[in-house]
Amino acid sequence: MSSHFLTIKDRFLLKRFHLSNSTNQDILLFFHDLLMNEKLYASALSNYKKWADSNKAEAKSEFNERHALCDEMQSYTKERLQNLTEDEFFNLIAPLWAMGMWGNKRYYLDNVIENNGMDLLRAQLVNLFYGSTSIKNRWDEFREKVKGMGPAFISELLNKFKPEEYILWNKKALIGFMALGIPNIPKSNSALDGKKYAYLSKVGRELVVSAKKQGFSEIEDLLALNYFIWQELQIVPTDMGVPLEEEPEKETKKQKAFVHNDVRDRIRDIGLFLGFKAEIEKKIADGAVVDALWEVSVGNMGRITYVFEVQTSGSIDSLLLNLMKAKNNPSVQGIVAVSDSKQIEKIKKEAASLREIRDELKFWDYNDVLKVFDSLSNAYESINALGLVPSGLF
């Protein structure tokens, strides 16, 4: 049967089976080969092979680059990570592609060290690379405990450490998987948990095996797969047909916490992009520790501060109380509640009776926060790639 072009009957039966069984993940894994656009995959592999044959020097350079990247990552033994210094942490993280948008990498990573502490970073890197539990558990623990290093960082570290086992997951990988019609993929990194990352890595390994069976030895591992996806699968085909409808997944409590932390970190990052001094989980007044703040000194006006509280779950009353307390700091000139559109409407209703903040409170949909971050990071990454701006300026 043609991969993504299912008949109406096929779609009906599969959707009914999908909805009537509680183990949707197992079902989608079982039907993965049926749903994938294998025709597009074979065509893209063929194009990549032609490119490699016609550009042997460049293909060899990329091959050597991949192996050098893995050799460097694999040089971080358990003992080396256990004794990692701040400078060594910088040397480990600064070269990552996930750091591409940051001109002043030292400033950003100094913030990561300040927010987490080297003891925690050492312990979590050791566990991520060498822990004995499943990748699902190690991934979730890293996301729960480490601030400022999200899925793009974690997956790149894992991919270069064990390229035969773990996928590098970012926007380009998402576009490639969507082009291939891979089912059950996350549309946003924010809620990406260990279970879903393990699934994506499994699908990636299947793609590598499929490429090798078709005679494309260039796709030797999941890092090579990443290079291939970047080059050949960044334009979604117009002839993919209508994708199979998937039931939207309800976020777990853990995923909501991941979203909260990711949005919090992105607000901080947007502030840094805009030239503010930006921090997370900062005490701003008695009894008020806010998720994020932007701060700037303006001549004779002194310090101006904008504070942000993010909510993906929990009490609206506690969010509003925290913002009310933050207003006790005279430098605070703006207070912002960040949530999804439905929660924002509830927050507005609750805030309407609070005379102290109702006229000053601003609202920001966290989906817009993530879009703004993506746009700014793309712009800064492009500017940094030109080499026009001195390193470390922003």
Side-chain angles (χ1 to χ4, degrees):
M1 179 182 293
S2 178
S3 57
H4 203 76
F5 300 95
L6 304 177
T7 67
I8 294 175
K9 181 180 178 182
D10 293 328
R11 289 174 180 276
F12 173 77
L13 291 174
L14 180 55
K15 187 173 183 183
R16 186 172 66 178
F17 183 47
H18 171 84
L19 292 174
S20 64
N21 195 297
S22 60
T23 57
N24 291 344
Q25 179 86 351
D26 293 335
I27 295 168
L28 288 170
L29 282 170
F30 180 79
F31 280 102
H32 161 240
D33 288 332
L34 177 68
L35 294 169
M36 194 185 85
N37 191 337
E38 294 176 7
K39 182 178 179 181
L40 173 63
Y41 188 45
S43 175
L45 287 170
S46 179
N47 290 338
Y48 192 66
K49 174 72 172 175
K50 291 175 183 176
W51 169 83
D53 290 342
S54 301
N55 300 273
K56 293 184 183 297
E58 188 175 353
K60 180 64 174 177
S61 176
E62 288 194 356
F63 175 87
N64 291 337
E65 178 185 62
R66 290 197 300 271
H67 282 257
L69 290 169
C70 293
D71 288 344
E72 174 62 23
M73 191 64 68
Q74 291 162 6
S75 73
Y76 285 87
T77 63
K78 184 175 182 179
E79 182 179 2
R80 187 178 179 187
L81 290 173
Q82 287 172 333
N83 296 284
L84 202 68
T85 66
E86 291 187 7
D87 284 340
E88 287 173 326
F89 175 75
F90 178 85
N91 293 335
L92 170 64
I93 304 300
L96 297 180
W97 295 317
M99 285 289 294
M101 77 284 289
W102 297 110
N104 193 339
K105 293 175 171 56
R106 175 69 68 176
Y107 179 75
Y108 183 85
L109 291 176
D110 282 349
N111 274 321
V112 171
I113 292 171
E114 181 181 352
N115 290 328
N116 295 283
M118 282 303 301
D119 286 344
L120 175 66
L121 290 171
R122 291 188 197 101
Q124 285 305 309
L125 285 168
V126 168
N127 186 55
L128 186 68
F129 283 11
Y130 295 103
S132 59
T133 61
S134 68
I135 187 56
K136 170 184 175 295
N137 292 335
R138 295 181 350 248
W139 176 281
D140 285 348
E141 183 175 333
F142 197 98
R143 288 212 67 186
E144 287 168 358
K145 294 185 177 180
V146 177
K147 304 178 184 73
M149 294 177 65
F153 283 91
I154 308 170
S155 67
E156 188 174 344
L157 288 168
L158 288 167
N159 175 251
K160 292 175 179 176
F161 184 69
K162 284 191 175 180
E164 72 284 353
E165 189 167 350
Y166 300 123
I167 197 165
L168 196 164
W169 190 256
N170 52 24
K171 286 182 293 182
K172 291 184 182 295
L174 170 62
I175 291 171
F177 271 43
M178 290 181 68
L180 291 175
I182 304 295
N184 202 30
I185 57 176
K187 301 304 186 290
S188 168
N189 272 355
S190 295
L192 184 58
D193 61 10
K195 181 179 180 181
K196 185 59 64 70
Y197 179 71
Y199 164 71
L200 295 170
S201 292
K202 183 179 188 299
V203 173
R205 292 193 296 271
E206 291 174 0
L207 291 173
V208 172
V209 170
S210 176
K212 290 179 178 178
K213 285 182 177 178
Q214 295 178 60
F216 297 99
S217 59
E218 292 82 1
I219 314 300
E220 58 179 341
D221 55 30
L222 291 170
L223 184 54
L225 179 72
N226 180 263
Y227 276 62
F228 158 74
I229 288 174
W230 280 40
Q231 181 163 318
E232 299 295 337
L233 290 172
Q234 291 308 293
I235 300 176
V236 180
T238 58
D239 61 346
M240 284 178 63
V242 179
L244 181 71
E245 293 182 8
E246 295 178 29
E247 291 298 302
E249 295 181 348
K250 186 176 181 180
E251 288 183 347
T252 65
K253 184 177 180 180
K254 180 180 291 184
Q255 287 174 319
K256 287 181 179 180
F258 289 162
V259 172
H260 172 278
N261 294 344
D262 197 52
V263 171
R264 175 202 64 199
D265 291 347
R266 297 293 80 81
I267 292 171
R268 185 268 317 279
D269 295 344
I270 292 169
L272 292 175
F273 283 138
L274 297 178
F276 290 97
K277 178 184 178 182
E279 299 180 87
I280 58 173
E281 296 188 347
K282 185 73 173 178
K283 182 177 180 180
I284 192 68
D286 287 342
V289 176
V290 295
D291 284 320
L293 65 78
W294 298 347
E295 189 175 276
V296 64
S297 296
V298 183
N300 294 331
M301 295 178 63
R303 197 158 44 98
I304 296 176
T305 306
Y306 305 100
V307 301
F308 303 82
E309 274 290 286
V310 181
Q311 187 184 51
T312 55
S313 62
S315 168
I316 292 176
D317 289 343
S318 62
L319 175 143
L320 294 172
L321 180 60
N322 215 32
L323 290 173
M324 287 173 64
K325 290 179 179 179
K327 280 295 294 176
N328 291 329
N329 185 324
S331 76
V332 173
Q333 299 299 304
I335 52 175
V336 185
V338 183
S339 192
D340 60 35
S341 57
K342 290 183 179 179
Q343 279 292 99
I344 284 175
E345 291 306 312
K346 294 179 181 178
I347 297 169
K348 285 180 178 179
K349 290 180 181 178
E350 292 284 339
S353 61
L354 300 175
R355 180 182 56 192
E356 299 91 335
I357 62 172
R358 64 188 177 195
D359 295 328
E360 300 178 57
L361 183 58
K362 309 298 181 185
F363 304 93
W364 200 0
D365 190 313
Y366 67 61
N367 293 298
D368 290 337
V369 171
L370 298 174
K371 290 176 184 176
V372 169
F373 171 78
D374 284 344
S375 297
L376 286 172
S377 62
N378 288 337
Y380 275 76
E381 188 167 357
S382 180
I383 293 168
N384 289 331
L386 293 174
L388 300 177
V389 181
S391 176
L393 187 59
F394 59 78

